[in-house]
Amino acid sequence: MESNTLPKIDDKALEFEIDIKDAQFNHEGYYYLQLSIQSSLTRDYSQIQLKKEGEASFVRQRVIKTDFTKQEESSPLTFFHDKKFTFHLPKGFCKNDKAHDVYLLVEAFLASDSTVGRSKKVGEGKFPIYPRPNAPRINLYAEPGENLYHYTDVLSLLRTLSSDNIQMHCGRIRCTYSLRELVPIQTRAETPPVVKKPKPIKANKQEEKAPSPKPRTPVPPPPTEREKKPQPPPPTASSWGENIGTLNLPETPPLPPATDWRKVPEVPLRPEDKHTFNIDKGYRHVSEVGKEQIDIIIHGAANLPQTPNGRIPQPFAVVKTKKDDDLDKKTTNTTHVSLRPTNAPSFEEMLILTLDEATAPDETIVLTMADAPNQQSLVTYKIPVSHLTPFHQYHLELNQPAKGIPGGVRTFATITRKLPRIPRDPSSPRYLGVEVLLQSVQTPIRNPLGPLIAVARIVPDYYNYKSDNLLSHPRTAGVTMNNVTFPSPHPLTFAVTQRSHHGHPQISLPGHPDQQPTWNHPYLFVEERDKATLFTPGAALVIEYYVASSGMERFRRAMNEQFWKMQSPVAFSMLPMDKEMYTQLIQDNAKHGLRVEGLPIQGSTLVTSQGKHPTVGMILRLITSDTPDTMKSVSNIENLPLLDMHPTSGDPPPFYRNSPDILKIEPGQPPADTMLTDMTELEPQEELRESPKAPAYYLQKIRKKALSPIKDGEMPPIDAMENILPEYQYIFYDPKGPQEAPARSLPGMSTRIPPPQSPSRGYQPEDLDMSTMTILDHQGKELDNYRSAVFKMGQDIIALRQQVRDLEANNSNLRRNLANYNDAGRLMVETSELEGLTKPEILSRYAAIKQTLSTQTADLKLYKEKVQTLQNQLIKKNDDEKKYLQLQKAHNQQQAVVLKMQDKLQKMKKMEEALKKQESVIEKMEKVIEKYHKDRSKTQKDKESHEANEVLLQENKRLRDQMIEIREQLRVAGRGGDDLEKLELYQALEKAEGRINALEKQLSENAKLWGRERADMSIKLNEAEHGFGRSTGMVLHDYPVYGERFGKTTQKRLSPLYR
């Protein structure tokens, strides 16, 4: 469509709407679509807004993903739940020139299941939004709010095979597309009151009765634009018998408040605590065993609500798990409080959250912005841990729609989930990733711009990335914040696209001080896409520097409402990551790291105090372990090998053949491509390498203009082969002097050396004849030489052909022999590829294979020696382990003996205490016996009892002496004598204890007997005194018999008491 027939659309804001009706894919599986707005010329997409069906407000986003749908064989069509999307295109985004082509890019991805994880791109399709082709035609007379076009079409999804450049069909989608001019939304107060008066029936009847000269089919407005019309559309009767113009749709429900203003137990960090502003030496790339680690960099927030009393908050951030949040458990993962009350704070602090590995997939991260004076929450975001892909750094714009805040409450954060081990990928079997430790600017800067944030990435094609992003003015932002809408974020929002043209960026904390920023920030590149493009031609490590926002004033002055959306890097650095760099990193002395010093900072006006361009230092290391430590834990960094940035010679060839280019852009001037210099003329030709010895024609090479690298999607120029192939010319030169023969070239060739002229002589005819004859003579001789040379060349060609056949046979044998080696297998080629190779190419490949074989043989011999050494060390370790086990067994036995002796020692202490108690009892018993003995001695009525008491006293005395002896033996032995002696003493003690018990019982019985006899004697004495006599037939009860009286009963001995 010609530009003169297009509507004037440059100064209009447009609204594009797409409704996905159904889809069909060629293979079964789970699919989802990714929709994005693209432009052929415009690079700034920051003003594009997006809204899904069912959402109340638009968000600044141009890329959206649908939900998962499953393609089954039984069902030919499949449907999406999230299918209707509306894009707001700003003014000037669509233009009528031929350069601004705006289109919708639809990409289809295939996943293993319906969960968030790795996915594979299977096809894509493009729909031109504006300008449109001739079908359908655009409504040139559309009013604001009416559709420029509105129709349904089928979009095919194709994929291109890289090997054959053939497009294959993978599916199709049927969608309804519409484009219209955006009309500003009117408030309800501005809506005319006539619209609210429903009188549709009469008006409809009048319109039906009124004659119309020409039938006109009304175009019903989209449902989403009813409130945007300045006037309601004319009522139209539908086929369902209802009046469409008088439908009373329900109002949109009001948004909830941002938070419930609940109390938080946390308090912000003290000002002297600075551990969140930098990374300490204990930082690890992986989590601890049995744990998972979540690293969160809190950049800042915007549009924070006011406090309940209308005061501007003084916020700080809190990070914890949902489990701790439900229990109202206090955590220490907090940031510092803002210096002053603000609705848009800036933090730039890192918080680390540790989770249990078993329960981490079911946990949820709770990020809360709270007011420090009142300790009340301002906004809360809940992010499920299962949505996060491990070891991928997410750059998120967390958006919580709230009542009274049009853009929602936004918080900007960078989140990384870490596991105990780094996963292995088949794309890089020899290494797991690359670590980059960015240190600092090596020389103070004279004109600092402020704290700098370093963003590192691995780009597969540095030339295209530089020309597309770094050479534009202003430069394109290298970090795009992914918008996540709460309170229920979709899992696809956190899905990681497997294909990335410019790598995955990683953000550091700001470098301080401003004059000489120091980061000491470790980057870890373990993404599958990054490792697949590492150490390939064109791959490079790019570090972009952004000025960090600090404070509310800078936020208002520079960022405005685009807070923390990086606009343009102020400078950048580049380090090639090709095969030569891999060769440097795998050296034995570089296994702990390789230092890089003097890497220039390009593309800025920054200069050092000496007036030179600033440089940075860093350390590179190839990660080969799945549980690596960071380079920050290394104390002797200065002992690491240094990469020479400007080598001049060496074997193998030097890594950097030229100094890195310095790109400098002056303010207000367009940048210049410094990679190649355009040459309008050919450079001077090469001089003759050797001085001619005889007049003859000499071969001279012509220098040509260098070719520029080809960008993605571009075709090489027509004269590419002509400029690549070398070109020579023949010149005639006579070394005898200008008076004999001037230098001439063959007909049709330009001469390199001009003919010398003699200023003292004029032109003479004899000189012409002499020079002509000389030339003809030399030409005849050269012709004979050419003939003989051609004859020899033919013979050489025949011999070379035979040598080529022999070399091809040998080459085939070598290929078969080297097929067992992995590295050599990469150098092998198919037979079809060998047919077009020349002899030098075959010889070079043969030499490379032979060198690889010798290298691998030496490595194999070295590995065998290492294996033998390790086996010997293993045998020694096994012997040491046996000795250790024997010592451990002996130690355990000794420990058991010690425990047994300690038990016996405790028993002996108890025995001593028992002996002391028994001794006191015996003393009391002796006193009782003495008392009874005195009583019985006074009466002197029972001699037998007196003798028995004497015997008992002697026995007690003997036992007492025996106890004294035992005690004396124990004291002399020091309680630690021989086990046998202790056992004998223990048995003696038991016998003495048993004897004492028996004596105690016998004394008790004797006391009872003596008491009974005394009472009997008192009764008899009283009877005798009162004259009572006893007859022979009187029976006396309770009197002792004869045997009992004289103690002839046998006392039973008690058994010893054991304790």
Side-chain angles (χ1 to χ4, degrees):
M1 184 176 291
E2 299 295 335
S3 61
N4 54 3
T5 61
L6 293 176
K8 187 177 181 181
I9 207 168
D10 296 357
D11 56 347
K12 295 181 181 180
L14 302 179
E15 186 176 73
F16 175 73
E17 185 177 275
I18 177 174
D19 187 3
I20 305 174
K21 301 297 183 181
D22 52 57
Q24 184 180 16
F25 300 96
N26 295 346
H27 300 281
E28 297 181 353
Y30 291 91
Y31 292 87
Y32 71 90
L33 302 179
Q34 177 174 302
L35 313 179
S36 60
I37 298 295
Q38 303 287 340
S39 176
S40 60
L41 184 62
T42 305
R43 296 295 181 184
D44 186 12
Y45 301 100
S46 60
Q47 300 298 326
I48 296 178
Q49 298 184 8
L50 171 66
K51 182 181 74 173
K52 293 196 301 184
E53 184 181 15
E55 294 184 353
S57 60
F58 285 83
V59 295
R60 294 188 183 275
Q61 187 177 351
R62 71 179 182 94
V63 181
I64 189 65
K65 298 178 182 178
T66 64
D67 57 337
F68 281 97
T69 183
K70 185 177 182 181
Q71 179 68 52
E72 298 178 349
E73 185 178 1
S74 59
S75 177
L77 298 178
T78 181
F79 304 91
F80 293 93
H81 179 70
D82 299 335
K83 61 177 183 177
K84 195 171 184 180
F85 307 96
T86 305
F87 296 88
H88 278 186
L89 308 180
K91 294 181 181 180
F93 192 78
C94 297
K95 295 183 179 180
N96 288 330
D97 56 1
K98 297 182 179 181
H100 290 73
D101 292 339
V102 181
Y103 60 91
L104 175 70
L105 178 62
V106 182
E107 299 173 292
F109 292 87
L110 174 64
S112 58
D113 51 14
S114 60
T115 59
V116 177
R118 297 291 182 181
S119 57
K120 178 182 179 182
K121 182 178 177 181
V122 295
E124 66 177 21
K126 296 181 180 180
F127 175 80
I129 298 177
Y130 190 87
R132 285 289 305 159
N134 293 330
R137 293 185 178 275
I138 295 179
N139 184 10
L140 302 179
Y141 305 101
E143 297 294 334
E146 294 184 2
N147 292 325
L148 295 174
Y149 59 82
H150 180 85
Y151 81 110
T152 303
D153 194 10
V154 176
L155 180 64
S156 299
L157 302 177
L158 306 176
R159 71 175 183 270
T160 303
L161 297 180
S162 59
S163 58
D164 301 329
N165 199 16
I166 300 176
Q167 290 187 342
M168 298 187 63
H169 186 273
C170 70
R172 36 80 68 196
I173 57 174
R174 186 170 64 93
C175 306
T176 299
Y177 312 95
S178 62
L179 182 67
R180 52 186 167 268
E181 181 182 353
L182 182 63
V183 179
I185 301 176
Q186 294 183 356
T187 59
R188 295 185 179 180
E190 299 173 354
T191 305
V194 183
V195 180
K196 298 184 179 180
K197 295 181 179 180
K199 293 182 179 181
I201 300 177
K202 294 181 180 181
N204 197 9
K205 288 182 179 180
Q206 292 177 2
E207 289 181 2
E208 290 178 356
K209 292 179 181 180
S212 59
K214 193 179 292 185
R216 185 177 179 182
T217 304
V219 180
T224 58
E225 296 294 331
R226 295 185 187 273
E227 298 181 359
K228 300 180 182 180
K229 298 285 186 180
Q231 295 180 356
T236 305
S238 66
S239 60
W240 298 94
E242 297 177 353
N243 196 346
I244 299 178
T246 59
L247 290 177
N248 295 324
L249 298 178
E251 297 181 358
T252 303
L255 293 174
T259 182
D260 53 357
W261 306 109
R262 65 183 181 88
K263 288 285 186 178
V264 294
E266 291 79 14
V267 294
L269 294 177
R270 296 181 177 273
E272 59 270 12
D273 190 355
K274 304 291 185 180
H275 76 278
T276 57
F277 291 114
N278 48 32
I279 297 178
D280 56 3
K281 292 187 177 181
Y283 181 81
R284 290 171 52 88
H285 287 309
V286 295
S287 61
E288 298 178 357
V289 179
K291 301 287 184 180
E292 285 195 14
Q293 180 176 320
I294 309 295
D295 295 347
I296 304 175
I297 300 178
I298 309 294
H299 302 294
N303 299 335
L304 291 179
Q306 307 284 354
T307 59
N309 55 5
R311 181 180 54 83
I312 299 177
Q314 194 170 359
F316 70 99
V318 180
V319 175
K320 61 168 65 174
T321 61
K322 187 177 182 299
K323 181 179 179 181
D324 295 342
D325 186 63
D326 294 340
L327 299 176
D328 203 15
K329 186 177 180 180
K330 186 176 181 180
T331 181
T332 57
N333 286 330
T334 60
T335 63
H336 296 79
V337 69
S338 60
L339 298 179
R340 65 189 68 181
T342 177
N343 298 100
S346 176
F347 299 105
E348 296 298 344
E349 301 182 40
M350 175 180 281
L351 303 178
I352 299 177
L353 185 63
T354 304
L355 308 173
D356 291 334
E357 186 179 8
T359 60
D362 301 329
E363 275 289 355
T364 301
I365 304 171
V366 179
L367 194 155
T368 304
M369 288 290 170
D371 182 32
N374 297 334
Q375 289 190 346
Q376 291 180 338
S377 64
L378 301 173
V379 65
T380 300
Y381 307 94
K382 296 181 180 180
I383 305 173
V385 178
S386 58
H387 291 0
L388 303 177
T389 302
F391 297 103
H392 177 76
Q393 194 175 74
Y394 289 89
H395 312 295
L396 304 178
E397 178 183 353
L398 311 178
N399 193 340
Q400 175 69 53
K403 182 179 180 181
I405 303 177
V409 183
R410 294 177 292 167
T411 299
F412 305 88
T414 297
I415 303 178
T416 307
R417 178 186 177 188
K418 297 181 179 180
L419 302 181
R421 294 181 181 275
I422 298 178
R424 295 183 178 271
D425 293 328
S427 61
S428 54
R430 293 191 175 185
Y431 59 90
L432 300 179
V434 173
E435 178 187 2
V436 179
L437 178 63
L438 181 63
Q439 294 176 301
S440 63
V441 177
Q442 296 177 330
T443 309
I445 301 176
R446 181 189 300 172
N447 52 342
L449 301 176
L452 297 180
I453 296 177
V455 178
R457 68 174 74 230
I458 299 292
V459 294
D461 188 356
Y462 172 68
Y463 173 73
N464 286 325
Y465 180 79
K466 182 177 181 179
S467 60
D468 295 341
N469 298 275
L470 302 180
L471 295 182
S472 59
H473 189 71
R475 299 188 183 97
T476 305
V479 179
T480 302
M481 305 301 289
N482 188 15
N483 191 289
V484 183
T485 304
F486 288 84
S488 300
H490 198 280
L492 287 179
T493 310
F494 302 91
V496 180
T497 304
Q498 186 175 5
R499 183 177 181 182
S500 177
H501 295 286
H502 301 318
H504 300 282
Q506 297 186 22
I507 298 180
S508 72
L509 293 171
H512 296 280
D514 298 351
Q515 290 75 16
Q516 191 174 4
T518 300
W519 295 277
N520 287 328
H521 187 90
Y523 301 95
L524 180 64
F525 297 97
V526 295
E527 296 279 352
E528 184 177 358
R529 180 65 180 175
D530 292 341
K531 291 189 290 185
T533 57
L534 263 176
F535 310 121
T536 57
L541 169 66
V542 178
I543 301 178
E544 301 171 354
Y545 306 97
Y546 299 81
V547 179
S549 61
S550 59
M552 183 177 177
E553 295 299 329
R554 180 173 295 173
F555 161 69
R556 290 178 175 176
R557 182 175 64 253
M559 298 295 183
N560 201 2
E561 61 180 61
Q562 299 293 333
F563 177 70
W564 219 92
K565 288 188 176 180
M566 295 183 173
Q567 297 296 324
S568 176
V570 297
F572 68 93
S573 299
M574 183 277 296
L575 182 65
M577 300 294 289
D578 50 8
K579 184 179 179 181
E580 284 77 8
M581 175 61 78
Y582 178 73
T583 304
Q584 298 288 335
L585 291 175
I586 62 175
Q587 300 294 331
D588 292 338
N589 58 351
K591 62 181 179 179
H592 296 296
L594 181 66
R595 286 191 300 143
V596 178
E597 302 289 346
L599 188 66
I601 297 178
Q602 309 180 44
S604 69
T605 58
L606 298 176
V607 293
T608 62
S609 56
Q610 291 83 11
K612 299 180 180 179
H613 292 280
T615 59
V616 295
M618 64 179 64
I619 301 176
L620 302 179
R621 184 179 63 162
L622 206 62
I623 301 298
T624 57
S625 172
D626 54 358
T627 57
D629 293 329
T630 60
M631 291 297 298
K632 290 183 66 66
S633 60
V634 180
S635 59
N636 53 349
I637 294 180
E638 62 278 359
N639 296 333
L640 297 177
L642 178 63
L643 178 65
D644 190 2
M645 296 291 292
H646 313 285
T648 56
S649 62
D651 189 15
F655 175 50
Y656 290 99
R657 304 189 182 278
N658 295 318
S659 300
D661 54 334
I662 303 298
L663 178 65
K664 182 177 181 180
I665 299 179
E666 298 295 339
Q669 297 181 0
D673 190 352
T674 59
M675 295 184 64
L676 295 173
T677 304
D678 294 336
M679 298 182 294
T680 58
E681 298 180 358
L682 294 178
E683 296 182 358
Q685 309 301 326
E686 294 182 353
E687 299 291 342
L688 297 177
R689 297 183 179 179
E690 298 180 0
S691 59
K693 298 180 180 179
Y697 285 98
Y698 293 91
L699 191 64
Q700 183 185 40
K701 184 178 180 180
I702 303 175
R703 287 190 179 182
K704 298 183 177 181
K705 177 182 177 181
L707 293 178
S708 301
I710 300 176
K711 296 183 179 180
D712 293 339
E714 294 183 356
M715 299 296 293
I718 300 176
D719 57 348
M721 293 300 298
E722 182 180 354
N723 293 330
I724 292 175
L725 296 176
E727 185 176 351
Y728 300 90
Q729 66 177 356
Y730 284 95
I731 62 171
F732 181 81
Y733 182 75
D734 190 357
K736 294 182 179 180
Q739 70 277 8
E740 296 185 5
R744 297 190 180 187
S745 61
L746 289 177
M749 294 292 183
S750 61
T751 184
R752 170 67 175 85
I753 303 177
Q757 301 272 342
S758 177
S760 60
R761 308 175 46 187
Y763 179 77
Q764 300 294 335
E766 294 80 3
D767 296 339
L768 177 62
D769 296 337
M770 186 182 300
S771 61
T772 303
M773 295 301 295
T774 305
I775 292 173
L776 292 177
D777 186 22
H778 285 291
Q779 287 180 350
K781 294 180 180 179
E782 287 184 359
L783 183 61
D784 295 336
N785 294 334
Y786 288 154
R787 288 176 181 173
S788 59
V790 168
F791 179 75
K792 293 180 180 179
M793 190 181 299
Q795 295 180 348
D796 294 339
I797 289 173
I798 296 174
L800 288 174
R801 286 179 179 176
Q802 184 62 32
Q803 291 181 3
V804 167
R805 295 191 191 97
D806 298 339
L807 288 175
E808 287 179 352
N810 295 333
N811 197 9
S812 300
N813 295 329
L814 289 173
R815 285 202 305 269
R816 287 192 296 269
N817 295 334
L818 295 177
N820 296 328
Y821 298 95
N822 295 331
D823 293 340
R826 297 178 182 176
L827 299 176
M828 300 307 297
V829 294
E830 297 180 356
T831 307
S832 59
E833 297 181 1
L834 286 175
E835 293 178 356
L837 297 179
T838 59
K839 178 183 176 181
E841 293 177 350
I842 296 176
L843 291 176
S844 63
R845 295 202 176 188
Y846 172 74
I849 294 173
K850 187 174 181 181
Q851 183 179 2
T852 306
L853 178 61
S854 61
T855 304
Q856 291 183 350
T857 304
D859 293 343
L860 181 61
K861 184 177 180 181
L862 180 62
Y863 290 152
K864 287 183 178 180
E865 294 177 355
K866 289 184 178 179
V867 168
Q868 185 66 28
T869 305
L870 292 175
Q871 287 179 352
N872 296 334
Q873 294 179 359
L874 182 60
I875 293 172
K876 293 180 180 180
K877 295 295 183 182
N878 291 334
D879 296 338
D880 296 339
E881 185 179 2
K882 290 181 181 179
K883 294 179 180 179
Y884 172 74
L885 292 175
Q886 292 177 358
L887 291 174
Q888 186 177 8
K889 185 177 180 180
H891 178 72
N892 293 335
Q893 292 177 355
Q894 292 179 357
Q895 190 71 17
V897 173
V898 169
L899 292 176
K900 187 176 179 181
M901 298 301 294
Q902 289 178 355
D903 294 339
K904 289 184 177 180
L905 184 61
Q906 292 179 359
K907 289 181 180 180
M908 291 179 66
K909 291 181 179 179
K910 293 180 180 179
M911 289 168 60
E912 288 182 359
E913 294 177 358
L915 287 174
K916 291 180 180 179
K917 292 180 180 179
Q918 291 176 0
E919 184 178 0
S920 61
V921 172
I922 290 173
E923 291 178 354
K924 292 180 181 179
M925 295 294 295
E926 288 178 351
K927 293 179 180 179
V928 173
I929 291 174
E930 290 179 357
K931 183 178 180 182
Y932 279 108
H933 180 67
K934 290 179 181 180
D935 295 339
R936 296 299 295 268
S937 61
K938 291 179 180 179
T939 56
Q940 294 181 356
K941 293 181 178 180
D942 195 354
K943 294 181 179 180
E944 290 83 0
S945 298
H946 179 72
E947 293 177 357
N949 289 335
E950 291 292 338
V951 172
L952 291 176
L953 289 174
Q954 291 179 1
E955 182 68 19
N956 287 337
K957 185 177 181 181
R958 186 181 62 81
L959 291 175
R960 187 178 182 87
D961 296 338
Q962 189 176 359
M963 289 177 61
I964 292 172
E965 281 184 13
I966 293 173
R967 186 177 300 167
E968 185 66 21
Q969 291 177 1
L970 290 176
R971 186 182 62 79
V972 174
R975 301 182 181 178
D978 195 10
D979 292 341
L980 184 59
E981 295 179 357
K982 292 182 179 179
L983 183 59
E984 291 177 355
L985 294 174
Y986 183 69
Q987 291 178 355
L989 183 61
E990 289 179 349
K991 291 180 181 180
E993 187 177 4
R995 182 62 179 170
I996 291 171
N997 291 334
L999 291 175
E1000 289 177 355
K1001 187 175 180 180
Q1002 188 174 358
L1003 287 174
S1004 178
E1005 291 179 354
N1006 290 338
K1008 292 180 181 178
L1009 179 61
W1010 294 336
R1012 198 176 295 134
E1013 290 179 353
R1014 184 175 181 181
D1016 188 17
M1017 295 300 293
S1018 300
I1019 293 172
K1020 288 182 179 182
L1021 182 60
N1022 290 332
E1023 289 178 353
E1025 289 178 354
H1026 292 83
F1028 291 98
R1030 294 189 180 184
S1031 62
T1032 57
M1034 182 179 294
V1035 180
L1036 298 176
H1037 297 280
D1038 297 333
Y1039 280 92
V1041 296
Y1042 178 79
E1044 294 176 353
R1045 181 177 180 183
F1046 294 99
K1048 293 183 179 180
T1049 59
T1050 305
Q1051 300 292 336
K1052 294 183 179 179
R1053 185 173 181 178
L1054 299 177
S1055 60
L1057 180 62
Y1058 296 98
R1059 296 189 179 182

